[in-house]
Amino acid sequence: MQTGWPASPAIYEIDTWPWLTGLSRRLGRPVTLADVPAGVWDEVATPGLDAVWLMGVWERSPAGLAVARADDGLQRAFRSALPDLTPDDVVGSPYCVRRYRVDDRLGGPSGLAKARAELRERGLKLILDYVPNHVAPDHPAVLEHPDWFVRLEDGSIANGRDPFFPPWPDVVQLNAFSAGLRAATLDVMSRIAEQCDGMRCDMAMLLTNEIFAGTWGRHAGPVPAAEFWPGLIGELRERHPDVALIAEVYWDTEWLLQQQGFDFCYDKRLYDRLAHEDAASVRAHLAAGRDYQDRLVRFLENHDEPRAAAAMPDGRGRAAAVAVATLPGATLWHDGQFEGRRTRLPVFLARYPDEPADLGLRDFYRRLIEVAGDVRRGEWRLLGTSGWPDNTSHQDLLAWSWDATVVVVNYAAHPTQGRVELPGPALAGRAWRLVDRLDGRVFERSGSELETDGLFVDLPPWGFHILTLS
């Protein structure tokens, strides 16, 4: 990990435009990044967080906005999320970037500098976006550097896309095989790195040689000998050695992008297993080596996924949150997740719908993140479990340890009993006190029992412990 970053950072994603709109309504005056009150930054700085990702600060495209407002499918999606939609609510996609300059409507470069200073005062690092695959149709490079783009048979510039979905109509496709584009990418990333401590690279796997060639074929031209990312990241490190690089990746390319230089890569496989599968699936995923797991980003939602409160109801969401918060690697939390928002907002919109806050859930998340920041230290181990011939429910337990802390999660909708095999020697011969860090409950256990039989647990549906032994 880069100098000055913790090994397992906890990151909080803020959807910048709707967040500022909400603050403006709350305070009764326009608010930009330049004048967010100190008390609001104090609210953001939940103990246990290490960084804030201000998603969507760059200058949005008028041309891209016109496309979005004319697209009937997008308009239906907008009204589904925001029934009282007005034309002013549609501000365009933050991933349709016209220039890598902070949008003046959000406070401009000086506003971002002020926000970064406020975060730094509270011990928080700043993460910003970079979108390497595409730009807005009115980006200056379209006219100034036409050779940086993928062109179709008729000579027109292709719309941006990935290989599994139709093109995105509001953006145009950069050519990852263009030497000029690769050089320009280094310069742009360097300018972004001057304004932040970390960079989240959108859909980073699309720029690998194999995927790019498979997507664009002859339209991309000859495949270069060198991959897109390794040399670029190496040169960026020389200019900005402390900037952390996070790759949004899918399709089992996490290890590849780690090897190409990224500090962290999205762990979408874990998300899918937590959202849709069972404890056995999650446990198998966690059997991978630490060199891989330490560089994954665990999450339950972000701006691309359904809201966790809607996708993981009935206790599953809290159990999943305990798992995500206490695993190796980075963790990503999302604006509105703590309060239980259920409506996923399209990134084109400037305003959240009104939803009641779940204050109990908010308190749970804040306590969890603070506890996780304290216990994720030292050696991590995945722990085995056992049961009895007439009770195999232990198979629904997930368990691991960090030094003197044991995490146990019942990842099932029924009560579960079992024994957790504890690591470490010299448990016998002493009495042990186990304190649940989330709710303060205390359990007394014999060291001989712990060493011989393991830790007995009896958990309700979706129940959990974070136990520190002393």
Side-chain angles (χ1 to χ4, degrees):
M1 192 59 229
Q2 300 310 301
T3 305
W5 278 84
S8 302
I11 302 163
Y12 184 57
E13 177 190 2
I14 290 177
D15 295 1
T16 307
W17 201 311
W19 181 69
L20 290 173
T21 300
L23 286 178
S24 299
R25 296 174 69 188
R26 171 177 151 190
L27 299 175
R29 61 174 177 81
V31 178
T32 72
L33 291 171
D35 48 21
V36 173
V40 172
W41 290 122
D42 291 340
E43 294 172 7
V44 169
T46 297
L49 290 180
D50 300 295
V52 168
W53 167 19
L54 289 177
M55 190 278 284
V57 302
W58 305 122
E59 185 177 303
R60 303 196 189 197
S61 160
L65 175 60
V67 172
R69 286 180 169 169
D71 188 298
D72 291 339
L74 286 176
Q75 291 297 316
R76 287 192 293 272
F78 299 161
R79 289 193 178 87
S80 177
L82 204 60
D84 58 342
L85 183 78
T86 70
D88 289 342
D89 293 324
V90 183
V91 292
S93 170
Y95 296 98
C96 177
V97 178
R98 185 176 182 276
R99 287 190 301 170
Y100 283 95
R101 181 186 185 279
V102 179
D103 200 298
D104 287 333
R105 292 165 292 182
L106 301 179
S110 62
L112 180 67
K114 179 67 162 49
R116 186 183 187 188
E118 294 284 357
L119 293 171
R120 185 175 291 168
E121 280 186 17
R122 292 159 178 81
L124 295 172
K125 297 184 181 297
L126 173 63
I127 296 171
L128 300 175
D129 289 292
Y130 177 58
V131 188
N133 185 66
H134 50 264
V135 294
D138 52 352
H139 189 284
V142 172
L143 296 178
E144 296 170 4
H145 300 282
D147 56 309
W148 292 358
F149 295 87
V150 171
R151 292 193 174 271
L152 303 178
E153 286 84 352
D154 63 1
S156 64
I157 297 177
N159 288 116
R161 61 172 298 223
D162 77 26
F164 298 108
F165 293 95
W168 302 302
D170 61 334
V171 294
V172 291
Q173 180 66 51
L174 293 165
N175 190 342
F177 294 168
S178 163
L181 185 276
R182 291 186 175 197
T185 297
L186 175 61
D187 291 338
V188 171
M189 292 183 74
S190 294
R191 291 197 298 273
I192 295 172
E194 292 169 358
Q195 302 173 70
C196 63
D197 308 289
M199 207 176 309
R200 180 262 191 190
C201 294
D202 184 71
M203 299 290 281
M205 75 288 179
L206 293 181
L207 286 301
T208 61
N209 281 357
E210 181 179 359
I211 291 176
F212 199 82
T215 304
W216 293 106
R218 67 183 186 279
H219 299 299
V223 179
E227 286 281 355
F228 183 87
W229 290 113
L232 190 156
I233 290 175
E235 292 188 57
L236 184 69
R237 296 281 190 224
E238 293 180 6
R239 301 183 188 185
H240 302 280
D242 296 334
V243 68
L245 297 177
I246 300 169
E248 180 196 18
V249 297
Y250 304 101
W251 317 327
D252 297 319
T253 58
E254 297 87 355
W255 177 251
L256 173 64
L257 272 295
Q258 288 178 4
Q259 298 309 297
Q260 291 191 4
F262 283 93
D263 297 295
F264 295 104
C265 295
Y266 273 34
D267 191 359
K268 180 64 159 59
R269 287 293 182 189
L270 179 64
Y271 168 81
D272 288 337
R273 286 169 169 149
L274 289 169
H276 307 296
E277 300 178 27
D278 60 10
S281 174
V282 175
R283 190 181 306 109
H285 185 83
L286 299 178
R290 282 291 301 275
D291 56 339
Y292 174 66
Q293 297 218 45
D294 284 348
R295 297 170 64 187
L296 293 173
V297 181
R298 326 285 194 165
F299 56 86
L300 298 183
E301 67 170 70
N302 56 56
H303 66 269
D304 288 316
E305 304 293 347
R307 288 289 192 177
M312 303 182 197
D314 303 324
R316 186 179 191 127
R318 292 196 185 207
V322 171
V324 163
T326 59
L327 287 171
T331 54
L332 174 63
W333 310 102
H334 186 210
D335 179 21
Q337 181 176 351
F338 299 168
E339 294 76 23
R341 284 189 174 273
R342 302 178 67 84
T343 300
R344 177 181 168 268
L345 192 76
V347 294
F348 296 80
L349 300 185
R351 173 170 62 93
Y352 287 126
D354 293 328
E355 295 184 76
D358 184 335
L359 300 183
L361 184 64
R362 183 194 64 187
D363 292 343
F364 161 77
Y365 267 115
R366 288 183 175 176
R367 177 62 181 157
L368 172 62
I369 291 165
E370 182 176 10
V371 168
D374 185 47
V375 304
R376 289 200 303 171
R377 304 175 189 277
E379 183 178 1
W380 179 85
R381 294 185 185 181
L382 187 63
L383 304 179
T385 64
S386 60
W388 306 271
D390 60 346
N391 184 352
T392 60
S393 63
H394 74 93
Q395 296 172 358
D396 293 312
L397 292 174
L398 300 170
W400 46 82
S401 65
W402 290 94
D403 286 355
T405 298
V406 176
V407 179
V408 188
V409 178
N410 174 17
Y411 212 67
H414 55 73
T416 298
Q417 301 81 37
R419 290 189 177 274
V420 178
E421 301 167 8
L422 297 186
L427 289 170
R430 286 182 279 178
W432 290 89
R433 187 171 184 262
L434 293 80
V435 179
D436 193 312
R437 297 292 302 276
L438 288 178
D439 59 20
R441 284 181 293 168
V442 177
F443 305 89
E444 305 287 347
R445 292 289 186 270
S446 158
S448 298
E449 177 191 355
L450 293 177
E451 187 170 298
T452 303
D453 301 324
L455 171 66
F456 173 76
V457 295
D458 184 353
L459 287 167
W462 309 113
F464 40 78
H465 291 305
I466 301 179
L467 301 168
T468 296
L469 285 71
S470 62

